[in-house]
Amino acid sequence: MKQTGDLFLVKKINKSIVLDTIRARSPISRAKVSESTGLNKTTVSSLVNELIDEHLVHEMGPGESSGGRKPLMLLFNDQAGYAIGIDVRIDSVSAVLTDLKGAIKDRCFFKLSSAEPQHVSSIIARSVRELSARAPESPYGVVGVGVGVPGIVDEQGSVLFAPNLHWSNVPLQQMLMDELQLPVVIDNEANAGAVGEHKFGAVQDTQNLLYISVSHGIGTGIIMGGHLYRGSSGFAGEAGHFSIKLDGADCSCGNKGCWELYASENALLSAASSLESVQALTGHGPVTLEELIGLAEQGDPDILEIMNSAGHHLGIGISNLINLFNPERVIIGNRIALTEPWIAKSLYDTVKERSLSFHYARVSLEISRLHLDSGVLGAASFALQNFFAKTQISL
Ligand SMILES: [Zn+2]
């Protein structure tokens, strides 16, 4: 019995190797799959037939022949199912539907009327239902949901602490799985953003990358040696709560002088709220980043100064991270990317001045080209990873 179990396991592993090869190198012939996996042609043929029956692979017309009969080419069927990636912010939820390769097919966006866990969870569920209803017909349908949240998430998908949402111990994964009856993966939004940039960004072969997610707070996703670095409990990357001012202002995390108090969207909004030009615009109500950008476009000197200062403070924290991690690339993403024309100069100048020259010489620093999509793409890719891992185990 033991031997039978092992043989079954070997078959499952071989099948997942064949599928991974076809996913990565499609279109590819059976002979090439055999050559690159080291599995014999009969085994590859039989596993490919099973994958075709399961709709994960299909055949297309003959490819180039290296002599003799032209081979039929195998294609990964990226439309066999869909994943949903979700980015939770303190005031909104964005969601995308992707195919099995992670290409965005549809999207939706909802404003949050409160950050109460029940309300946020119901809006996430609504996004999933809406995108599922609009998804094209497919053999597997929606295979899972990935959600990035601005907080510390444990292995069970509970949000242990999310100071900007005022959440502690919210069992979000369980709440959503109960509601949706779908596999759900919850992760930190900066981790999702780092994976989104690593898999779908402008340069995808980077081994050592830091993704700095700057919106209401600051989070950091760390890719080292090609893999997401999570730390011993999965909580790595809370760089927004680095102390950068010894006796600075109180932070919602309980500490003082945290980096995000001086360099985030909240920092910009709070510095701008007392300005006359802003009060005249908002009638003493809350100001939005979009309104500040409107004033910056008109050349409002006070707003330009505030943007300049945020860029400088962002640069201070990023210099510390560059000195610590020696990354090849640092990508600054999320909502702060909208302010690029006004923060970039002070940000880049500060990083150049404050990083160690050896570290600075090798690093490429940029604002995300995926704009606000890094997080949703990374979240969708967590759902896809989960689907492929489970599919292969249950074969
Ligand atoms: Zn803090």
Side-chain angles (χ1 to χ4, degrees), residues 23-84:
R23 279 172 70 199
R25 298 183 47 191
S26 168
I28 183 171
S29 67
R30 286 171 173 79
K32 284 277 178 208
V33 173
S34 167
E35 197 181 300
S36 70
T37 59
L39 294 168
N40 74 48
K41 285 182 183 172
T42 318
T43 305
V44 166
S45 246
S46 129
L47 294 173
V48 163
N49 288 343
E50 288 186 22
L51 290 167
I52 290 174
D53 289 344
E54 288 157 12
H55 309 284
L56 290 169
V57 168
H58 49 212
E59 283 176 312
M60 64 182 253
E64 288 298 311
S65 167
S66 51
R69 194 157 57 91
K70 288 183 177 174
L72 282 173
M73 302 301 278
L74 301 169
L75 281 176
F76 171 56
N77 181 11
D78 52 24
Q79 312 295 311
Y82 295 88
I84 291 176

Side-chain angles (χ1 to χ4, degrees), residues 241 251 253 258:
H241 301 285
C251 179
C253 75
C258 292

Side-chain angles (χ1 to χ4, degrees), residues 68-292:
R69 194 157 57 91
K70 288 183 177 174
L72 282 173
M73 302 301 278
L74 301 169
L75 281 176
F76 171 56
N77 181 11
D78 52 24
Q79 312 295 311
Y82 295 88
I84 291 176
I86 295 196
D87 189 21
V88 175
R89 305 208 175 99
I90 63 167
D91 56 1
S92 63
V93 166
S94 327
V96 295
L97 180 83
T98 75
D99 64 17
L100 294 185
K101 268 196 166 162
I104 295 177
K105 297 292 171 186
D106 200 353
R107 58 174 75 230
C108 67
F109 176 86
F110 290 102
K111 278 272 176 202
L112 291 170
S113 57
S114 94
E116 282 297 312
Q118 284 297 346
H119 176 65
V120 176
S121 165
S122 74
I123 295 290
I124 295 172
R126 186 172 162 193
S127 313
V128 171
R129 285 199 198 93
E130 196 163 310
L131 289 176
S132 301
R134 301 198 314 235
E137 280 290 313
S138 65
Y140 291 88
V142 171
V143 300
V145 179
V147 184
V149 291
I152 296 170
V153 179
D154 72 8
E155 285 172 350
Q156 282 71 47
S158 290
V159 183
L160 301 183
F161 184 51
N164 291 314
L165 288 167
H166 305 290
W167 285 11
S168 58
N169 297 312
V170 175
L172 187 62
Q173 179 177 306
Q174 199 55 54
M175 288 161 77
L176 289 169
M177 283 172 59
D178 290 347
E179 171 95 28
L180 295 165
Q181 305 297 314
L182 276 172
V184 175
V185 182
I186 312 284
D187 209 320
N188 173 271
E189 61 86 25
N191 284 347
V195 169
E197 290 289 343
H198 188 233
K199 290 200 165 175
F200 306 106
V203 177
Q204 292 169 22
D205 58 356
T206 309
Q207 292 293 297
N208 301 292
L209 173 154
L210 298 179
Y211 174 74
I212 320 286
S213 171
V214 187
S215 63
H216 298 278
I218 300 181
T220 315
I222 304 160
I223 306 261
M224 287 288 129
H227 299 284
L228 187 63
Y229 176 75
R230 292 182 174 278
S232 64
S233 319
F235 307 156
E238 289 297 329
H241 301 285
F242 269 178
S243 293
I244 66 161
K245 302 228 171 178
L246 290 184
D247 294 307
D250 290 337
C251 179
S252 56
C253 75
N255 204 344
K256 283 178 189 297
C258 292
W259 183 27
E260 68 177 38
L261 298 177
Y262 306 94
S264 62
E265 179 176 349
N266 275 359
L268 279 169
L269 301 183
S270 130
S273 61
S274 57
L275 294 176
E276 275 179 26
S277 55
V278 169
Q279 290 181 351
L281 185 74
T282 61
H284 299 267
V287 63
T288 65
L289 187 65
E290 284 73 11
E291 287 168 333
L292 294 193

Side-chain angles (χ1 to χ4, degrees), residues 214-379:
V214 187
S215 63
H216 298 278
I218 300 181
T220 315
I222 304 160
I223 306 261
M224 287 288 129
H227 299 284
L228 187 63
Y229 176 75
R230 292 182 174 278
S232 64
S233 319
F235 307 156
E238 289 297 329
H241 301 285
F242 269 178
S243 293
I244 66 161
K245 302 228 171 178
L246 290 184
D247 294 307
D250 290 337
C251 179
S252 56
C253 75
N255 204 344
K256 283 178 189 297
C258 292
W259 183 27
E260 68 177 38
L261 298 177
Y262 306 94
S264 62
E265 179 176 349
N266 275 359
L268 279 169
L269 301 183
S270 130
S273 61
S274 57
L275 294 176
E276 275 179 26
S277 55
V278 169
Q279 290 181 351
L281 185 74
T282 61
H284 299 267
V287 63
T288 65
L289 187 65
E290 284 73 11
E291 287 168 333
L292 294 193
I293 289 170
L295 290 170
E297 281 168 345
Q298 294 163 27
D300 183 313
D302 293 330
I303 298 294
L304 297 182
E305 178 49 39
I306 284 172
M307 297 261 188
N308 200 52
S309 166
H312 174 65
H313 283 94
L314 204 48
I316 300 264
I318 290 173
S319 306
N320 289 332
L321 291 168
I322 289 173
N323 291 347
L324 185 61
F325 287 104
N326 180 211
E328 296 154 63
R329 294 166 69 83
V330 176
I331 300 172
I332 299 142
N334 213 332
R335 300 231 329 139
I336 206 74
L338 302 171
T339 66
E340 178 175 6
W342 306 283
I343 65 161
K345 184 170 188 317
S346 61
L347 165 62
Y348 293 150
D349 288 351
T350 304
V351 172
K352 188 173 181 188
E353 280 164 28
R354 301 290 186 106
S355 310
L356 290 166
S357 59
F358 306 101
H359 297 61
Y360 182 77
R362 300 294 290 273
V363 73
S364 140
L365 175 67
E366 67 217 83
I367 309 279
S368 171
R369 295 294 144 224
L370 294 175
H371 297 282
L372 301 179
D373 282 341
S374 329
V376 282
L377 282 169

